[in-house]
Amino acid sequence: MWDKTKANEWPWYEDFRTSITTVEIRDEVTHLGDYAFSDLTNLTSVTIGSGVTTIGKYCFANDGKIESLTLPAGLTSIGEGAFKDTAKLTSMVIPDSVTSLGSYLFLNSGIEEVTFPASVTAIPNNCLFH
């Protein structure tokens, strides 16, 4: 997927952002772009394919109804603010393959428990900031 500089640049933003409830990302996809699924106000279910290795900045930001999200085993990088303002997301297991995390990853989220693997050698500023 491509990167965008803000959520409203995606073609589904204006007409569909309030009606999308489920996103299924195929195994062939390797990168989830910046802001790709942000501001989908009724998104509750996300399935990320096994081929995804990077999640872009603010990819799932402002998706306040996501309650759980399983990250694929081959994921290596999660961008800044990827899960910002996900009020119902309370826990996450970061896969052992991840080596890079962005700042503000869980800013203003409902996160209560995160399992970080040994492969993450630095937790960025304000990663868990509420």
Side-chain angles (χ1 to χ4, degrees):
M1 297 186 87
W2 306 277
D3 289 327
K4 300 291 184 180
T5 57
K6 53 189 172 184
N8 66 2
E9 292 178 339
W10 288 99
W12 51 79
Y13 185 80
E14 288 301 322
D15 295 331
F16 302 107
R17 72 182 185 96
T18 60
S19 60
I20 295 173
T21 59
T22 303
V23 169
E24 293 183 19
I25 299 152
R26 296 171 26 160
D27 292 341
E28 295 83 6
V29 175
T30 59
H31 172 70
L32 302 184
D34 295 350
Y35 299 91
F37 302 105
S38 64
D39 294 328
L40 299 181
T41 56
N42 289 305
L43 182 64
T44 58
S45 174
V46 178
T47 302
I48 300 176
S50 62
V52 173
T53 58
T54 58
I55 295 176
K57 297 186 302 184
Y58 302 98
C59 187
F60 295 101
N62 302 314
D63 293 345
K65 293 188 178 178
I66 295 175
E67 292 184 14
S68 67
L69 191 64
T70 302
L71 302 176
L75 187 68
T76 59
S77 175
I78 305 173
E80 176 181 316
F83 307 108
K84 176 184 175 285
D85 295 318
T86 51
K88 293 192 176 193
L89 185 64
T90 58
S91 66
M92 182 171 287
V93 175
I94 308 290
D96 291 339
S97 53
V98 172
T99 57
S100 174
L101 298 174
S103 297
Y104 309 106
L105 196 58
F106 297 105
L107 179 67
N108 297 326
S109 72
I111 207 75
E112 296 172 2
E113 182 180 343
V114 180
T115 302
F116 293 101
S119 57
V120 173
T121 58
I123 297 175
N125 292 336
N126 300 314
C127 182
L128 300 170
F129 189 73
H130 278 269

